[in-house]
C-alpha cells in the first residue's frame, strides 16, 4: 500500500515537472535594427552575436536572464531583461531599442 502511494506521488511529481518545463519555453525573435553588432550573454544557453539589421530566433524559458555589454564585447555586462512567463509565443524583441533605453536608465 505504501509503495503504491509513493509510486503515485512520484508519478504525479514527474508529470508536473515535465509539463512545467515545456510550458515555460517561449520561442521569440531577437531583432537588431541597428548598423552595429550586438553582443549578448544568456547564461546556460549561449552568447549570441546579433549581426546588424538581422533577426535571430531563440527559445528561452520564463525567468531566463539576458545580459548585454554596454561598453562593448569585453566590458562589464548589464541585465537587459528577464523573460516573463506572460510573454506570447513568437514575440519580436527589438534588442537594439531595448539596449538603448536600458543604457539611459543605467546611466551609460
Amino acid at each position: 500500500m505504501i509503495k503504491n502511494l509513493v509510486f503515485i506521488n512520484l508519478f504525479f511529481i514527474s508529470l508536473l515537472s515535465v509539463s512545467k518545463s515545456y510550458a515555460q519555453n517561449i520561442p521569440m525573435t531577437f531583432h537588431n535594427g541597428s548598423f552595429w553588432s550586438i553582443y549578448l550573454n544568456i547564461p546556460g544557453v549561449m552568447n549570441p552575436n546579433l549581426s546588424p539589421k538581422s533577426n535571430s530566433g531563440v527559445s528561452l524559458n520564463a525567468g531566463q536572464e539576458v545580459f548585454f555589454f554596454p561598453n562593448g564585447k569585453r566590458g562589464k555586462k548589464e541585465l537587459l531583461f528577464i523573460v516573463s512567463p506572460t510573454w506570447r509565443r513568437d514575440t519580436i524583441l527589438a534588442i537594439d531599442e531595448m539596449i538603448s533605453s536600458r543604457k539611459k536608465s543605467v546611466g551609460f
Side-chain angles (χ1 to χ4, degrees), residues 4-106:
N4 288 344
L5 289 175
V6 169
F7 176 74
I8 290 171
N9 284 336
L10 289 175
F11 177 74
F12 282 114
I13 290 170
S14 67
L15 278 179
L16 290 174
S17 66
V18 167
S19 64
K20 185 177 179 182
S21 67
Y22 284 113
Q24 291 184 352
N25 194 278
I26 304 166
M28 62 191 79
T29 300
F30 288 178
H31 172 72
N32 179 5
S34 73
F35 290 104
W36 300 274
S37 292
I38 296 176
Y39 304 98
L40 299 176
N41 176 263
I42 307 172
V45 180
M46 63 179 163
N47 296 322
N49 174 19
L50 301 178
S51 298
K53 300 291 183 181
S54 69
N55 291 315
S56 180
V58 64
S59 290
L60 299 174
N61 289 329
Q64 176 69 56
E65 296 176 324
V66 176
F67 296 92
F68 74 105
F69 298 91
N71 294 319
K73 188 175 175 179
R74 298 176 194 251
K76 178 184 169 196
K77 66 183 180 182
E78 292 286 336
L79 181 65
L80 181 58
F81 63 86
I82 299 174
V83 177
S84 171
T86 61
W87 288 2
R88 299 182 59 144
R89 295 177 49 94
D90 302 324
T91 298
I92 298 174
L93 301 174
I95 299 297
D96 57 320
E97 294 173 11
M98 293 174 77
I99 288 175
S100 178
S101 63
R102 183 75 175 116
K103 278 183 175 182
K104 288 177 186 173
S105 69
V106 175

